[in-house]
Amino acid sequence: VPQAATAVKVGQPATVDFADKTSNVSTKLQITVTGIEVGSLQDLTAAKVPTTGLDGRTPVYVSYTVKNLGDASLSFTAPDSKFVLFDAAGNKGLPVLTASNPLPKCTGAKFQGVAKGAETKGCDIISIAGTSPVAVGYTDLNDLLKLQASWSK
C-alpha cells in the first residue's frame, strides 16, 4: 500500500483536499472510513447488479462519512470517486458500478446540497482480485498514484 500523507485506522477521520474541475468546486473534506466489509457475488446477483467481469474477484463494501469543512457546496460532485482499495498484495481494486441497481447492504452517498458543516454517509463497492482487503486510500488531487489519506483495519 502506498504511503499516505495521513494514515489512520478505520473509524478515525482524516482531512483531505477535494477539487472537482467539472463543477469548479474546491473544498476541504473530513472523511471517515467506517467499514471495510467483504461481500459476495451472490449479494450482487440477488440485487440484480451486473457481475460481468467480476469472475474470480471479491466485492468489498467500503462505508464512509464525508463532512464538508469548506465553503463550497458539493452539489454535483463525487468525492467518493477518489477512493481506492488495496488487497494484501498491494493491488488496487476496481469500482463496481451500481448506480442503476443500488445494493441494500451498500448504498452510495447523496452529495447534492452537502454545504459547509453538513455530512453524508454512503458506501461504495470495489472489487479486488484477492479476498483480503487491507486498506482504503484517498487519492491526491493531481497525482492519482499518491494518497492524501489511508485507512487500515
Side-chain angles (χ1 to χ4, degrees):
V1 178
Q3 187 68 32
T6 303
V8 294
K9 295 285 184 201
V10 169
Q12 296 178 312
T15 301
V16 298
D17 292 312
F18 173 72
D20 185 320
K21 291 174 179 54
T22 310
S23 58
N24 201 19
V25 166
S26 188
T27 190
K28 279 203 178 296
L29 302 174
Q30 178 181 292
I31 298 178
T32 305
V33 170
T34 54
I36 304 172
E37 181 189 341
V38 174
S40 70
L41 289 181
Q42 289 80 9
D43 292 344
L44 302 182
T45 52
K48 296 182 176 55
V49 172
T51 58
T52 310
L54 293 178
D55 291 340
R57 299 186 66 84
T58 304
V60 178
Y61 311 131
V62 177
S63 305
Y64 55 86
T65 301
V66 174
K67 183 175 185 178
N68 188 356
L69 301 177
D71 292 326
S73 175
L74 299 180
S75 23
F76 296 104
T77 59
D80 59 328
S81 66
K82 304 277 187 205
F83 282 125
V84 287
L85 180 70
F86 297 93
D87 66 14
N91 299 313
K92 278 170 76 168
L94 302 169
V96 176
L97 300 176
T98 60
S100 56
N101 303 316
L103 195 65
K105 285 185 176 184
C106 187
T107 305
K110 301 220 182 321
F111 295 105
Q112 287 74 17
V114 177
K116 183 174 185 171
E119 65 180 36
T120 185
K121 294 174 192 254
C123 179
D124 285 4
I125 304 172
I126 303 173
S127 72
I128 56 172
T131 56
S132 304
V134 293
V136 173
Y138 198 80
T139 59
D140 186 77
L141 296 177
N142 303 311
D143 184 350
L144 296 179
L145 300 176
K146 286 186 179 166
L147 298 180
Q148 292 189 68
S150 68
W151 294 264
S152 59
K153 291 183 175 189

